[in-house]
Amino acid sequence: MPARPPPDLNPRKKPRQARAEATLDAIFEAAIQVLVSVGPRRLTTTRVAERAGVSVGSMYQYFPNKQALFYALNESYLDVLAARIETTCEQQHGAPVRDMIEAIVVTYWDAKMERPEVTRALYRSVAELDNEPLIEAFARRVDGATATLFASASDASFVDLPGVNLTLLTTIFGAVRNVFERNLPASEAIRVREQLIVMCEAYLAVIQRPVRQKRR
């Protein structure tokens, strides 16, 4: 179920044709470029429209203000991120637990690090937004995908799967965000990723039940 934004952040309309989709994609990419170059406070819809090569009137057909633009931009970003995690979970279904956790960490990490300047800009852009509906929608998709994945593990099962799943995702997402907040150089960030995988694997090794106890 898609997130339902607060009323003041609703887009004026949704694209229904390929041309409109292309216009919206151009607006999103322009918004990212402006965010990265000047930050959320100095971003204006006029600047974004100029960068996107569309009229201000076309901008306002979609977004009544820059907060609505920020909301839609983050919604699009989280939708793509959730889809990548879901795909990884489908590919790892029935694998050993260690393979699962490494795949999840690497997928989330790589998605955030592909364009780190964009990730930082998006974090800043939601500082003053009511983005709870976005986070809830994203969490529902990811929690569901990873819980189903861990339930299929070939070598372990868990007494409290929801609790284990929540702990793992909170740890992974929190660690990655802290890497950005601390602005770690690439060499240190990679060390964090490696240790994060080790930490998650060690946690699962302690918390899991032996495979012989799994229900069949």
PDB file of all heavy atoms in Angstrom, residues 26 29 52 66 69 103 110 112 121 136 143 148 152-153 160 173 178 181-182 187 193 206-207 214:
ATOM      1  N   ALA A  26      12.569  14.172 -14.906  1.00  0.00           N
ATOM      2  CA  ALA A  26      13.478  15.306 -15.096  1.00  0.00           C
ATOM      3  C   ALA A  26      13.422  16.256 -13.901  1.00  0.00           C
ATOM      4  O   ALA A  26      14.453  16.782 -13.462  1.00  0.00           O
ATOM      5  CB  ALA A  26      13.121  16.053 -16.379  1.00  0.00           C
ATOM      6  N   GLU A  29      15.340  14.562 -10.969  1.00  0.00           N
ATOM      7  CA  GLU A  29      16.793  14.622 -11.134  1.00  0.00           C
ATOM      8  C   GLU A  29      17.299  16.055 -10.953  1.00  0.00           C
ATOM      9  O   GLU A  29      18.348  16.270 -10.335  1.00  0.00           O
ATOM     10  CB  GLU A  29      17.188  14.097 -12.516  1.00  0.00           C
ATOM     11  CG  GLU A  29      18.693  14.106 -12.789  1.00  0.00           C
ATOM     12  CD  GLU A  29      19.501  13.300 -11.781  1.00  0.00           C
ATOM     13  OE1 GLU A  29      18.984  12.281 -11.249  1.00  0.00           O
ATOM     14  OE2 GLU A  29      20.657  13.689 -11.513  1.00  0.00           O
ATOM     15  N   ALA A  52      15.514  21.642 -14.695  1.00  0.00           N
ATOM     16  CA  ALA A  52      14.816  20.549 -15.383  1.00  0.00           C
ATOM     17  C   ALA A  52      14.416  20.918 -16.805  1.00  0.00           C
ATOM     18  O   ALA A  52      14.046  20.036 -17.593  1.00  0.00           O
ATOM     19  CB  ALA A  52      13.571  20.147 -14.594  1.00  0.00           C
ATOM     20  N   LYS A  66       7.828  23.451  -2.269  1.00  0.00           N
ATOM     21  CA  LYS A  66       9.034  22.620  -2.314  1.00  0.00           C
ATOM     22  C   LYS A  66       8.965  21.483  -1.300  1.00  0.00           C
ATOM     23  O   LYS A  66       9.595  20.435  -1.502  1.00  0.00           O
ATOM     24  CB  LYS A  66      10.289  23.466  -2.109  1.00  0.00           C
ATOM     25  CG  LYS A  66      10.582  23.928  -0.698  1.00  0.00           C
ATOM     26  CD  LYS A  66      11.919  24.665  -0.680  1.00  0.00           C
ATOM     27  CE  LYS A  66      12.352  25.056   0.719  1.00  0.00           C
ATOM     28  NZ  LYS A  66      13.666  25.747   0.708  1.00  0.00           N
ATOM     29  N   LEU A  69       7.515  18.647  -3.054  1.00  0.00           N
ATOM     30  CA  LEU A  69       8.532  18.094  -3.946  1.00  0.00           C
ATOM     31  C   LEU A  69       9.486  17.197  -3.163  1.00  0.00           C
ATOM     32  O   LEU A  69       9.811  16.086  -3.608  1.00  0.00           O
ATOM     33  CB  LEU A  69       9.301  19.228  -4.620  1.00  0.00           C
ATOM     34  CG  LEU A  69      10.528  18.831  -5.454  1.00  0.00           C
ATOM     35  CD1 LEU A  69      10.134  17.890  -6.591  1.00  0.00           C
ATOM     36  CD2 LEU A  69      11.217  20.073  -5.999  1.00  0.00           C
ATOM     37  N   ALA A 103      24.001 -10.512   1.935  1.00  0.00           N
ATOM     38  CA  ALA A 103      23.309  -9.972   0.764  1.00  0.00           C
ATOM     39  C   ALA A 103      22.475  -8.751   1.127  1.00  0.00           C
ATOM     40  O   ALA A 103      22.442  -7.764   0.380  1.00  0.00           O
ATOM     41  CB  ALA A 103      22.434 -11.049   0.135  1.00  0.00           C
ATOM     42  N   ASP A 110      25.122  -0.670  -0.839  1.00  0.00           N
ATOM     43  CA  ASP A 110      25.429  -0.224  -2.201  1.00  0.00           C
ATOM     44  C   ASP A 110      24.400   0.790  -2.706  1.00  0.00           C
ATOM     45  O   ASP A 110      24.759   1.752  -3.403  1.00  0.00           O
ATOM     46  CB  ASP A 110      25.482  -1.422  -3.144  1.00  0.00           C
ATOM     47  CG  ASP A 110      26.723  -2.280  -2.941  1.00  0.00           C
ATOM     48  OD1 ASP A 110      27.614  -1.863  -2.172  1.00  0.00           O
ATOM     49  OD2 ASP A 110      26.807  -3.365  -3.547  1.00  0.00           O
ATOM     50  N   LYS A 112      22.779   2.955  -0.967  1.00  0.00           N
ATOM     51  CA  LYS A 112      23.032   4.239  -0.315  1.00  0.00           C
ATOM     52  C   LYS A 112      24.326   4.886  -0.796  1.00  0.00           C
ATOM     53  O   LYS A 112      24.456   6.113  -0.795  1.00  0.00           O
ATOM     54  CB  LYS A 112      23.101   4.040   1.209  1.00  0.00           C
ATOM     55  CG  LYS A 112      21.770   3.701   1.860  1.00  0.00           C
ATOM     56  CD  LYS A 112      20.864   4.911   1.891  1.00  0.00           C
ATOM     57  CE  LYS A 112      19.600   4.659   2.673  1.00  0.00           C
ATOM     58  NZ  LYS A 112      18.757   5.863   2.802  1.00  0.00           N
ATOM     59  N   ALA A 121      21.969  14.554   0.776  1.00  0.00           N
ATOM     60  CA  ALA A 121      21.019  15.624   0.461  1.00  0.00           C
ATOM     61  C   ALA A 121      19.596  15.220   0.816  1.00  0.00           C
ATOM     62  O   ALA A 121      18.821  16.020   1.343  1.00  0.00           O
ATOM     63  CB  ALA A 121      21.117  16.001  -1.016  1.00  0.00           C
ATOM     64  N   GLU A 136       6.839   4.391   7.346  1.00  0.00           N
ATOM     65  CA  GLU A 136       5.962   3.258   7.646  1.00  0.00           C
ATOM     66  C   GLU A 136       5.757   2.379   6.410  1.00  0.00           C
ATOM     67  O   GLU A 136       5.802   1.148   6.500  1.00  0.00           O
ATOM     68  CB  GLU A 136       4.618   3.756   8.167  1.00  0.00           C
ATOM     69  CG  GLU A 136       4.676   4.326   9.583  1.00  0.00           C
ATOM     70  CD  GLU A 136       3.320   4.803  10.059  1.00  0.00           C
ATOM     71  OE1 GLU A 136       2.368   4.812   9.239  1.00  0.00           O
ATOM     72  OE2 GLU A 136       3.209   5.172  11.236  1.00  0.00           O
ATOM     73  N   ASP A 143      10.278  -5.084   6.017  1.00  0.00           N
ATOM     74  CA  ASP A 143      10.068  -6.048   7.105  1.00  0.00           C
ATOM     75  C   ASP A 143       9.447  -7.334   6.568  1.00  0.00           C
ATOM     76  O   ASP A 143       9.848  -8.437   6.945  1.00  0.00           O
ATOM     77  CB  ASP A 143       9.155  -5.455   8.181  1.00  0.00           C
ATOM     78  CG  ASP A 143       9.822  -4.368   9.000  1.00  0.00           C
ATOM     79  OD1 ASP A 143      11.014  -4.102   8.771  1.00  0.00           O
ATOM     80  OD2 ASP A 143       9.142  -3.774   9.850  1.00  0.00           O
ATOM     81  N   THR A 148      10.161 -12.980   5.596  1.00  0.00           N
ATOM     82  CA  THR A 148       9.908 -14.144   4.744  1.00  0.00           C
ATOM     83  C   THR A 148      11.222 -14.819   4.371  1.00  0.00           C
ATOM     84  O   THR A 148      11.321 -16.055   4.330  1.00  0.00           O
ATOM     85  CB  THR A 148       9.153 -13.722   3.477  1.00  0.00           C
ATOM     86  OG1 THR A 148       7.900 -13.146   3.853  1.00  0.00           O
ATOM     87  CG2 THR A 148       8.895 -14.917   2.571  1.00  0.00           C
ATOM     88  N   SER A 152      12.840 -18.757   5.604  1.00  0.00           N
ATOM     89  CA  SER A 152      13.185 -19.792   4.624  1.00  0.00           C
ATOM     90  C   SER A 152      14.607 -20.308   4.779  1.00  0.00           C
ATOM     91  O   SER A 152      15.045 -21.150   3.987  1.00  0.00           O
ATOM     92  CB  SER A 152      13.008 -19.233   3.205  1.00  0.00           C
ATOM     93  OG  SER A 152      14.097 -18.385   2.849  1.00  0.00           O
ATOM     94  N   ALA A 153      15.354 -19.827   5.770  1.00  0.00           N
ATOM     95  CA  ALA A 153      16.770 -20.191   5.908  1.00  0.00           C
ATOM     96  C   ALA A 153      16.960 -21.702   5.929  1.00  0.00           C
ATOM     97  O   ALA A 153      16.204 -22.430   6.578  1.00  0.00           O
ATOM     98  CB  ALA A 153      17.349 -19.577   7.173  1.00  0.00           C
ATOM     99  N   ASP A 160      11.795 -16.028  18.002  1.00  0.00           N
ATOM    100  CA  ASP A 160      11.134 -14.724  17.886  1.00  0.00           C
ATOM    101  C   ASP A 160      11.579 -14.073  16.581  1.00  0.00           C
ATOM    102  O   ASP A 160      12.363 -13.129  16.587  1.00  0.00           O
ATOM    103  CB  ASP A 160      11.482 -13.850  19.088  1.00  0.00           C
ATOM    104  CG  ASP A 160      10.851 -12.463  19.024  1.00  0.00           C
ATOM    105  OD1 ASP A 160       9.907 -12.274  18.217  1.00  0.00           O
ATOM    106  OD2 ASP A 160      11.297 -11.568  19.760  1.00  0.00           O
ATOM    107  N   PHE A 173      20.283  -0.331   9.196  1.00  0.00           N
ATOM    108  CA  PHE A 173      19.900   0.994   8.717  1.00  0.00           C
ATOM    109  C   PHE A 173      20.544   2.086   9.566  1.00  0.00           C
ATOM    110  O   PHE A 173      20.997   3.110   9.043  1.00  0.00           O
ATOM    111  CB  PHE A 173      18.381   1.150   8.741  1.00  0.00           C
ATOM    112  CG  PHE A 173      17.654   0.208   7.795  1.00  0.00           C
ATOM    113  CD1 PHE A 173      16.278   0.100   7.842  1.00  0.00           C
ATOM    114  CD2 PHE A 173      18.344  -0.562   6.876  1.00  0.00           C
ATOM    115  CE1 PHE A 173      15.601  -0.751   6.982  1.00  0.00           C
ATOM    116  CE2 PHE A 173      17.693  -1.429   6.014  1.00  0.00           C
ATOM    117  CZ  PHE A 173      16.308  -1.521   6.062  1.00  0.00           C
ATOM    118  N   ASN A 178      24.600   6.423  10.219  1.00  0.00           N
ATOM    119  CA  ASN A 178      25.645   7.045  11.036  1.00  0.00           C
ATOM    120  C   ASN A 178      26.926   7.254  10.238  1.00  0.00           C
ATOM    121  O   ASN A 178      27.660   8.219  10.483  1.00  0.00           O
ATOM    122  CB  ASN A 178      25.924   6.192  12.267  1.00  0.00           C
ATOM    123  CG  ASN A 178      26.745   6.916  13.308  1.00  0.00           C
ATOM    124  OD1 ASN A 178      27.904   6.594  13.539  1.00  0.00           O
ATOM    125  ND2 ASN A 178      26.152   7.918  13.940  1.00  0.00           N
ATOM    126  N   GLU A 181      26.269  10.510   8.677  1.00  0.00           N
ATOM    127  CA  GLU A 181      26.262  11.612   9.643  1.00  0.00           C
ATOM    128  C   GLU A 181      27.673  11.963  10.110  1.00  0.00           C
ATOM    129  O   GLU A 181      27.976  13.124  10.380  1.00  0.00           O
ATOM    130  CB  GLU A 181      25.373  11.250  10.827  1.00  0.00           C
ATOM    131  CG  GLU A 181      23.888  11.223  10.467  1.00  0.00           C
ATOM    132  CD  GLU A 181      23.017  10.732  11.603  1.00  0.00           C
ATOM    133  OE1 GLU A 181      23.561  10.122  12.548  1.00  0.00           O
ATOM    134  OE2 GLU A 181      21.793  10.960  11.538  1.00  0.00           O
ATOM    135  N   ARG A 182      28.530  10.960  10.207  1.00  0.00           N
ATOM    136  CA  ARG A 182      29.920  11.187  10.604  1.00  0.00           C
ATOM    137  C   ARG A 182      30.801  11.566   9.418  1.00  0.00           C
ATOM    138  O   ARG A 182      31.971  11.916   9.600  1.00  0.00           O
ATOM    139  CB  ARG A 182      30.475   9.940  11.291  1.00  0.00           C
ATOM    140  CG  ARG A 182      29.837   9.630  12.622  1.00  0.00           C
ATOM    141  CD  ARG A 182      30.153   8.205  13.067  1.00  0.00           C
ATOM    142  NE  ARG A 182      31.565   8.034  13.337  1.00  0.00           N
ATOM    143  CZ  ARG A 182      32.117   8.121  14.545  1.00  0.00           C
ATOM    144  NH1 ARG A 182      31.358   8.390  15.601  1.00  0.00           N
ATOM    145  NH2 ARG A 182      33.400   7.930  14.734  1.00  0.00           N
ATOM    146  N   SER A 187      37.518   4.624   3.004  1.00  0.00           N
ATOM    147  CA  SER A 187      38.258   3.499   3.603  1.00  0.00           C
ATOM    148  C   SER A 187      37.666   3.094   4.955  1.00  0.00           C
ATOM    149  O   SER A 187      37.538   1.894   5.256  1.00  0.00           O
ATOM    150  CB  SER A 187      39.733   3.878   3.772  1.00  0.00           C
ATOM    151  OG  SER A 187      39.861   5.027   4.602  1.00  0.00           O
ATOM    152  N   ARG A 193      31.318  -1.464   7.050  1.00  0.00           N
ATOM    153  CA  ARG A 193      30.477  -2.444   6.366  1.00  0.00           C
ATOM    154  C   ARG A 193      30.925  -3.867   6.688  1.00  0.00           C
ATOM    155  O   ARG A 193      30.096  -4.739   6.976  1.00  0.00           O
ATOM    156  CB  ARG A 193      30.506  -2.233   4.855  1.00  0.00           C
ATOM    157  CG  ARG A 193      29.472  -3.073   4.125  1.00  0.00           C
ATOM    158  CD  ARG A 193      29.576  -2.985   2.626  1.00  0.00           C
ATOM    159  NE  ARG A 193      30.666  -3.810   2.111  1.00  0.00           N
ATOM    160  CZ  ARG A 193      30.849  -4.075   0.820  1.00  0.00           C
ATOM    161  NH1 ARG A 193      30.034  -3.542  -0.086  1.00  0.00           N
ATOM    162  NH2 ARG A 193      31.846  -4.822   0.413  1.00  0.00           N
ATOM    163  N   VAL A 206      24.108 -16.697  17.593  1.00  0.00           N
ATOM    164  CA  VAL A 206      23.741 -16.863  19.001  1.00  0.00           C
ATOM    165  C   VAL A 206      22.238 -17.065  19.171  1.00  0.00           C
ATOM    166  O   VAL A 206      21.790 -17.890  19.981  1.00  0.00           O
ATOM    167  CB  VAL A 206      24.199 -15.625  19.816  1.00  0.00           C
ATOM    168  CG1 VAL A 206      23.626 -15.673  21.233  1.00  0.00           C
ATOM    169  CG2 VAL A 206      25.715 -15.565  19.867  1.00  0.00           C
ATOM    170  N   ILE A 207      21.441 -16.357  18.395  1.00  0.00           N
ATOM    171  CA  ILE A 207      19.996 -16.317  18.613  1.00  0.00           C
ATOM    172  C   ILE A 207      19.242 -17.443  17.910  1.00  0.00           C
ATOM    173  O   ILE A 207      18.103 -17.764  18.267  1.00  0.00           O
ATOM    174  CB  ILE A 207      19.437 -14.938  18.166  1.00  0.00           C
ATOM    175  CG1 ILE A 207      18.170 -14.587  18.942  1.00  0.00           C
ATOM    176  CG2 ILE A 207      19.215 -14.892  16.676  1.00  0.00           C
ATOM    177  CD1 ILE A 207      18.401 -14.232  20.372  1.00  0.00           C
ATOM    178  N   LYS A 214      13.901 -27.106  13.203  1.00  0.00           N
ATOM    179  CA  LYS A 214      13.002 -26.404  12.290  1.00  0.00           C
ATOM    180  C   LYS A 214      11.783 -27.251  11.986  1.00  0.00           C
ATOM    181  O   LYS A 214      11.874 -28.474  11.864  1.00  0.00           O
ATOM    182  CB  LYS A 214      13.717 -26.080  10.970  1.00  0.00           C
ATOM    183  CG  LYS A 214      14.710 -24.965  11.050  1.00  0.00           C
ATOM    184  CD  LYS A 214      15.165 -24.565   9.672  1.00  0.00           C
ATOM    185  CE  LYS A 214      14.073 -23.839   8.935  1.00  0.00           C
ATOM    186  NZ  LYS A 214      14.507 -23.329   7.634  1.00  0.00           N
TER     187      LYS A 214
END
